[in-house]
Amino acid sequence: EVQLVESGGGLVQPGGSLRLSCAASGFTFSSYWMHWVRQAPGQGLVWVSRINSDGSSTSYADSVKGRFTISRDNAKNTLYLQMNSLRAEDTAVYYCARTDALSSSSRYYYYMDVWGKGTTVTVSS
Amino acid sequence: DIQMTQSPSSLSASVGDRVTITCRASQSISTYLNWYQQKPGKAPRLLIYAASSLQSGVPSRFSGSGSGTDFTLTISSLQPEDFATYYCQQSYSIFTFGPGTKVDIK
């Protein structure tokens, strides 16, 4: 069964750090780009970060750039999100998601086809 | 950055109704548009990718259309399990989600 399982969430004080993990199983993890997406309480989905299949390329939303770092360990089939200098507005459920793509006429149409159940991060004093 | 809008933000419908949700991009994104369904307390579920391709396992009552800046998600006959929030997402430049459309029971 294709599965993603997040862990590492919890309560942290403003300015603190947390590292999230996402364990993948049931597919060849090293072949896929991966993302983190978050959802604040009662709000919509917000893309946070992505990493390519070998970890050599990353991108971040402006709201987390310079504070969050995405990484992966393909030998351990695990995706990470290191979150530093946390703020109250980082409070959210954090999901990891796998990216797949439709190839058509030399174009690649990317989409998030597998999602974890999420881990909750609460930033509060 | 590409901004996504959705309309309506919420709607009330009955089982069996035909439901249409609209998504608009701030610039042309060709057909780099995906649709997701999310139920309370659950992870999002991919419904449609590349504007009109149905994800495996998704019922055929769901369909997507559009290109450029204007897109629609249609549920041909609403079922009880379809009451949820629906998000569009562009993948033309990184990823951006729309604000969501909540579909609830009339």
Side-chain angles (χ1 to χ4, degrees), chain A residues 35 37 39 43-47 50 59 62 95 99 101-102 107-113 115-118, chain B residues 1 30-32 34 36 38 41-46 49-50 53 55 87 89 91 94-99:
Chain A
H35 296 256
V37 174
Q39 186 170 36
Q43 303 301 307
L45 301 168
V46 176
W47 173 79
R50 70 95 177 142
S59 295
D62 287 344
Y95 297 100
T99 308
L102 168 68
R107 295 182 176 186
Y108 290 87
Y109 297 86
Y110 295 100
Y111 49 88
M112 298 175 182
D113 67 334
W115 295 67
K117 293 184 178 181
Chain B
D1 292 2
S30 182
T31 55
Y32 292 87
N34 308 316
Y36 299 84
Q38 187 182 34
K42 300 295 186 181
R45 172 196 181 197
L46 176 67
Y49 60 94
S53 294
Q55 171 67 350
Y87 295 92
Q89 176 205 53
S91 60
I94 308 294
F95 288 88
T96 311
F97 291 92

Side-chain angles (χ1 to χ4, degrees), chain B residues 8-76:
Chain B
S9 57
S10 65
L11 66 90
S12 296
S14 301
V15 172
D17 284 353
R18 181 181 182 87
V19 170
T20 298
I21 298 169
T22 298
C23 175
R24 177 165 289 176
S26 60
Q27 66 182 72
S28 177
I29 58 170
S30 182
T31 55
Y32 292 87
L33 193 284
N34 308 316
W35 289 97
Y36 299 84
Q37 175 194 67
Q38 187 182 34
K39 297 180 180 180
K42 300 295 186 181
R45 172 196 181 197
L46 176 67
L47 299 176
I48 302 285
Y49 60 94
S52 61
S53 294
L54 190 68
Q55 171 67 350
S56 176
V58 174
S60 59
R61 62 180 179 273
F62 291 93
S63 64
S65 65
S67 66
T69 60
D70 295 319
F71 303 87
T72 59
L73 173 71
T74 300
I75 309 172
S76 60

